[in-house]
Amino acid sequence: MDATPRPPVLAGLRRTYEGRPLLESDLASDPMEQFTFWLQDALESGLPEPNAMVLATASSGGRPSARTVLLKGYDERGFVFYTNYESRKGRDLAENPRASLLFPWHPIRRQVRIEGTVTRISHEESAEYYNSRPYGSRIGAWASRQSAVVRSREELDERYAELAERWPESPPVPDFWGGFRVYPIEMEFWQGQLDRMHDRLRYRRTRPGWALERLAP
């Protein structure tokens, strides 16, 4: 008997989106304000982890990489997430400080896509957030040399236990860990529509402010 799993048939998988069109007149003049409106809708809809976003980076040689991270704050300066600076994304951003973010809120037929430049936030801001995290997460930041090869799960667990014994109460902020801020250059608001005629409205940063443009779906 052949136990090799067969790939599922995907060509027929599709979802029909129906609803009121998204018009330019529906959007706020500032994309950060519009993002707040949509994030609030995502929160109120009961979506699991509405602050989860796909972060795409590229090395200096152009090799792309994407992963899901959590948005931990935003304001007019940009969108903040935290990570190990020595991870693959940390190394990518050191070489090529540009990134794309994607919020995939498919159950409410919306997406937000952001492109921008990236800088590290201050040590003080990182420390404030680090010290607000649960104890286990703080030890975990020390225990995992993110993206490095490890021999086994046991090796990770042993390192975690050693560090928890060293710092039973208040682990210090790792010098290899902290926050990045994505300063948006473009922000696109996508809303699904019937027959794949989706609405895509993009804010593009210009010298006087923001230009709002409709993109073909």
Side-chain angles (χ1 to χ4, degrees):
M1 180 177 178
D2 185 3
T4 303
R6 295 182 180 278
V9 178
L10 302 177
L13 291 181
R14 58 179 52 86
R15 178 180 175 184
T16 299
Y17 297 103
E18 294 184 41
R20 180 176 176 271
L22 180 65
L23 304 177
E24 287 81 347
S25 58
D26 296 328
L27 299 187
S29 59
D30 186 288
M32 303 302 282
E33 183 179 349
Q34 184 62 40
F35 180 81
T36 298
F37 289 145
W38 274 26
L39 178 59
Q40 190 61 46
D41 288 345
L43 287 164
E44 292 174 358
S45 74
L47 283 178
E49 294 195 294
N51 61 324
M53 58 188 186
V54 178
L55 166 68
T57 60
S59 68
S60 59
R63 183 180 180 185
S65 180
R67 75 291 288 159
T68 301
V69 300
L70 297 177
L71 176 69
K72 287 300 181 179
Y74 71 95
D75 56 25
E76 68 281 356
R77 297 172 297 170
F79 299 83
V80 174
F81 65 92
Y82 295 86
T83 190
N84 186 313
Y85 291 139
E86 297 171 1
S87 65
R88 180 170 178 180
K89 56 185 170 296
R91 297 193 305 270
D92 278 357
L93 292 171
E95 297 175 6
N96 181 10
R98 298 174 179 82
S100 177
L101 307 174
L102 173 67
F103 292 86
W105 298 327
H106 300 310
I108 58 173
R109 57 191 183 84
R110 285 177 175 174
Q111 299 180 70
V112 179
R113 189 178 63 81
I114 298 159
E115 294 182 13
T117 56
V118 184
T119 56
R120 289 190 186 187
I121 67 173
S122 70
H123 175 75
E124 290 74 22
E125 288 178 276
S126 292
E128 181 179 2
Y129 172 70
Y130 179 83
N131 290 322
S132 75
R133 302 176 88 198
Y135 169 79
S137 295
R138 285 180 280 161
I139 291 294
W142 278 98
S144 173
R145 293 288 182 175
Q146 200 175 81
S147 301
V149 176
V150 293
R151 290 189 299 271
S152 65
R153 175 72 202 196
E154 288 73 22
E155 179 183 353
L156 284 174
D157 291 340
E158 288 171 7
R159 178 165 172 77
Y160 183 98
E162 291 169 1
L163 292 164
E165 184 176 358
R166 182 189 303 179
W167 295 306
E169 294 184 2
S170 300
V173 183
D175 57 3
F176 52 81
W177 182 96
F180 285 102
R181 177 176 286 113
V182 180
Y183 175 74
I185 303 300
E186 293 185 359
M187 294 180 62
E188 178 186 327
F189 292 80
W190 180 101
Q191 185 165 293
Q193 297 294 348
L194 191 65
D195 296 326
R196 297 297 186 258
M197 295 295 287
H198 309 308
D199 288 312
R200 297 177 60 191
L201 294 176
R202 179 181 65 185
Y203 294 84
R204 181 170 49 83
R205 194 180 288 276
T206 62
R207 192 170 297 275
W210 291 94
L212 181 60
E213 304 164 322
R214 178 174 289 273
L215 303 179

Coordinates of all heavy atoms in Angstrom, one line a residue, residues 176-205:
F176 N 21.3 41.7 23.1 CA 21.1 41.3 21.7 C 19.6 41.3 21.4 O 19.2 40.7 20.4 CB 21.6 39.9 21.5 CG 21.2 38.9 22.5 CD1 19.9 38.2 22.4 CD2 22.0 38.5 23.6 CE1 19.5 37.3 23.3 CE2 21.6 37.6 24.5 CZ 20.3 37.0 24.4
W177 N 18.8 41.9 22.2 CA 17.3 41.9 22.0 C 16.7 43.3 22.1 O 17.2 44.1 22.9 CB 16.7 41.0 23.1 CG 15.2 40.8 23.0 CD1 14.6 39.7 22.4 CD2 14.2 41.6 23.5 NE1 13.2 39.9 22.5 CE2 13.0 41.0 23.2 CE3 14.2 42.8 24.2 CZ2 11.7 41.6 23.6 CZ3 13.0 43.4 24.5 CH2 11.8 42.8 24.2
G178 N 15.7 43.6 21.3 CA 15.1 44.9 21.4 C 14.1 45.1 20.2 O 13.7 44.2 19.5
G179 N 13.7 46.3 20.1 CA 12.6 46.7 19.2 C 13.1 47.3 17.9 O 14.1 48.0 17.8
F180 N 12.3 47.1 16.8 CA 12.5 47.8 15.5 C 11.2 48.6 15.3 O 10.1 48.2 15.6 CB 12.6 46.8 14.4 CG 14.0 46.1 14.3 CD1 14.2 44.8 14.8 CD2 15.1 46.8 13.8 CE1 15.4 44.2 14.7 CE2 16.3 46.2 13.7 CZ 16.5 44.9 14.2
R181 N 11.4 49.7 14.6 CA 10.2 50.5 14.2 C 10.2 50.6 12.6 O 11.2 51.0 12.0 CB 10.3 51.9 14.8 CG 9.1 52.8 14.3 CD 9.2 54.2 15.0 NE 8.7 54.0 16.4 CZ 9.5 54.2 17.5 NH1 10.8 54.5 17.3 NH2 9.0 54.1 18.7
V182 N 9.1 50.3 12.0 CA 8.9 50.4 10.6 C 8.2 51.7 10.3 O 7.0 51.9 10.7 CB 8.0 49.2 10.0 CG1 7.9 49.4 8.5 CG2 8.7 47.9 10.4
Y183 N 8.9 52.6 9.7 CA 8.4 53.9 9.3 C 7.7 53.8 7.9 O 8.4 53.5 6.9 CB 9.6 54.9 9.2 CG 9.2 56.3 8.8 CD1 8.5 57.2 9.6 CD2 9.6 56.8 7.5 CE1 8.2 58.5 9.2 CE2 9.3 58.0 7.1 CZ 8.6 58.9 7.9 OH 8.2 60.1 7.5
P184 N 6.4 54.0 7.9 CA 5.7 53.7 6.6 C 5.9 54.7 5.5 O 5.9 55.9 5.7 CB 4.2 53.7 7.1 CG 4.2 54.6 8.2 CD 5.5 54.4 8.9
I185 N 6.2 54.2 4.3 CA 6.3 54.9 3.1 C 5.0 54.8 2.3 O 4.5 55.7 1.6 CB 7.5 54.5 2.3 CG1 8.8 54.7 3.1 CG2 7.6 55.3 1.0 CD1 9.1 56.1 3.6
E186 N 4.5 53.5 2.3 CA 3.2 53.2 1.7 C 2.3 52.4 2.6 O 2.9 51.6 3.3 CB 3.4 52.5 0.3 CG 4.1 53.2 -0.7 CD 4.2 52.5 -2.1 OE1 3.7 51.3 -2.1 OE2 4.7 53.0 -3.0
M187 N 1.0 52.6 2.6 CA 0.1 51.8 3.3 C -1.1 51.5 2.4 O -1.8 52.5 1.9 CB -0.4 52.5 4.6 CG 0.8 52.7 5.6 SD 0.2 53.5 7.1 CE -1.0 52.4 7.8
E188 N -1.4 50.2 2.2 CA -2.5 49.9 1.3 C -3.6 49.2 2.1 O -3.3 48.3 3.0 CB -2.0 48.9 0.3 CG -3.1 48.4 -0.7 CD -2.7 47.3 -1.6 OE1 -1.5 47.4 -2.1 OE2 -3.5 46.5 -2.0
F189 N -4.8 49.6 1.9 CA -6.0 49.0 2.6 C -6.8 48.2 1.5 O -7.2 48.8 0.5 CB -6.8 50.1 3.2 CG -6.2 50.8 4.4 CD1 -5.2 51.8 4.2 CD2 -6.5 50.4 5.7 CE1 -4.5 52.4 5.2 CE2 -5.8 51.0 6.8 CZ -4.9 52.0 6.5
W190 N -6.9 47.0 1.8 CA -7.5 46.0 0.8 C -8.8 45.5 1.4 O -8.9 45.1 2.6 CB -6.6 44.9 0.6 CG -7.0 43.8 -0.4 CD1 -6.6 43.6 -1.7 CD2 -7.8 42.7 -0.1 NE1 -7.2 42.5 -2.2 CE2 -7.9 41.9 -1.3 CE3 -8.5 42.2 1.0 CZ2 -8.7 40.7 -1.3 CZ3 -9.3 41.1 1.0 CH2 -9.4 40.3 -0.2
Q191 N -9.9 45.5 0.6 CA -11.2 45.0 1.0 C -11.7 44.1 -0.1 O -11.8 44.5 -1.2 CB -12.2 46.1 1.3 CG -13.5 45.6 1.9 CD -14.3 46.7 2.5 OE1 -13.9 47.3 3.6 NE2 -15.4 47.0 1.9
G192 N -12.0 42.8 0.3 CA -12.5 41.9 -0.7 C -13.9 42.2 -1.3 O -14.7 42.7 -0.6
Q193 N -14.0 42.0 -2.6 CA -15.3 42.3 -3.3 C -15.6 41.1 -4.2 O -14.8 40.2 -4.5 CB -15.2 43.6 -4.1 CG -15.0 44.8 -3.2 CD -16.1 45.1 -2.3 OE1 -17.2 44.6 -2.4 NE2 -15.9 46.0 -1.4
L194 N -16.8 41.1 -4.7 CA -17.4 40.1 -5.6 C -16.6 40.0 -6.9 O -16.1 41.0 -7.4 CB -18.8 40.4 -5.9 CG -19.7 39.3 -6.6 CD1 -19.8 38.0 -5.6 CD2 -21.0 39.8 -6.9
D195 N -16.4 38.7 -7.4 CA -15.7 38.5 -8.7 C -14.3 38.9 -8.7 O -13.8 39.3 -9.8 CB -16.5 39.1 -9.8 CG -17.9 38.5 -10.0 OD1 -18.1 37.3 -9.7 OD2 -18.8 39.3 -10.3
R196 N -13.7 38.9 -7.6 CA -12.3 39.3 -7.4 C -12.0 40.8 -7.8 O -10.9 41.2 -8.1 CB -11.3 38.4 -8.3 CG -11.4 36.9 -7.8 CD -10.8 36.8 -6.4 NE -10.7 35.5 -5.9 CZ -11.6 34.8 -5.1 NH1 -12.7 35.5 -4.7 NH2 -11.4 33.6 -4.7
M197 N -13.1 41.6 -7.9 CA -12.9 43.0 -8.1 C -12.7 43.8 -6.8 O -13.5 44.6 -6.4 CB -14.1 43.5 -8.9 CG -14.3 42.9 -10.3 SD -13.0 43.4 -11.4 CE -13.4 45.1 -11.7
H198 N -11.6 43.4 -6.2 CA -11.3 43.9 -4.8 C -11.0 45.4 -4.8 O -10.5 45.9 -5.8 CB -10.2 43.1 -4.2 CG -10.3 41.6 -4.3 ND1 -11.5 41.0 -3.8 CD2 -9.5 40.7 -4.7 CE1 -11.3 39.7 -4.0 NE2 -10.1 39.5 -4.6
D199 N -11.3 46.0 -3.7 CA -10.9 47.4 -3.5 C -9.5 47.5 -2.9 O -9.2 46.9 -1.9 CB -11.9 48.1 -2.6 CG -13.2 48.4 -3.3 OD1 -13.2 48.9 -4.5 OD2 -14.3 48.1 -2.7
R200 N -8.6 48.2 -3.6 CA -7.3 48.5 -3.1 C -7.0 50.0 -3.1 O -6.9 50.6 -4.1 CB -6.2 47.8 -3.9 CG -6.4 46.3 -4.0 CD -5.3 45.7 -4.9 NE -4.0 46.0 -4.5 CZ -2.9 45.8 -5.3 NH1 -3.0 45.2 -6.5 NH2 -1.7 46.1 -4.9
L201 N -6.9 50.5 -1.9 CA -6.6 52.0 -1.8 C -5.3 52.2 -1.1 O -5.1 51.6 0.1 CB -7.8 52.7 -1.0 CG -9.1 52.7 -1.8 CD1 -10.2 53.3 -0.9 CD2 -9.0 53.4 -3.1
R202 N -4.4 52.9 -1.7 CA -3.0 53.0 -1.2 C -2.7 54.5 -0.8 O -3.0 55.4 -1.6 CB -2.0 52.5 -2.2 CG -0.6 52.7 -1.8 CD 0.4 52.2 -2.9 NE 0.3 53.1 -4.1 CZ 1.0 52.8 -5.2 NH1 1.8 51.7 -5.3 NH2 0.9 53.6 -6.2
Y203 N -2.2 54.7 0.3 CA -1.6 55.9 0.7 C -0.1 55.9 0.4 O 0.6 55.0 0.8 CB -1.8 56.2 2.2 CG -3.2 56.3 2.8 CD1 -4.0 55.2 3.1 CD2 -3.7 57.6 3.0 CE1 -5.2 55.4 3.6 CE2 -5.0 57.8 3.5 CZ -5.7 56.6 3.8 OH -7.0 56.8 4.4
R204 N 0.3 56.9 -0.3 CA 1.8 57.0 -0.6 C 2.3 58.3 -0.1 O 1.7 59.4 -0.3 CB 1.9 57.0 -2.1 CG 3.4 57.0 -2.6 CD 3.4 56.7 -4.1 NE 2.5 57.5 -4.9 CZ 2.7 58.8 -5.3 NH1 3.8 59.4 -4.9 NH2 1.8 59.4 -6.0
R205 N 3.4 58.2 0.7 CA 3.9 59.4 1.4 C 4.5 60.3 0.3 O 5.3 59.9 -0.5 CB 5.0 59.0 2.4 CG 5.4 60.1 3.4 CD 6.4 59.7 4.4 NE 5.9 58.7 5.4 CZ 5.3 59.1 6.5 NH1 5.1 60.4 6.7 NH2 4.9 58.2 7.4

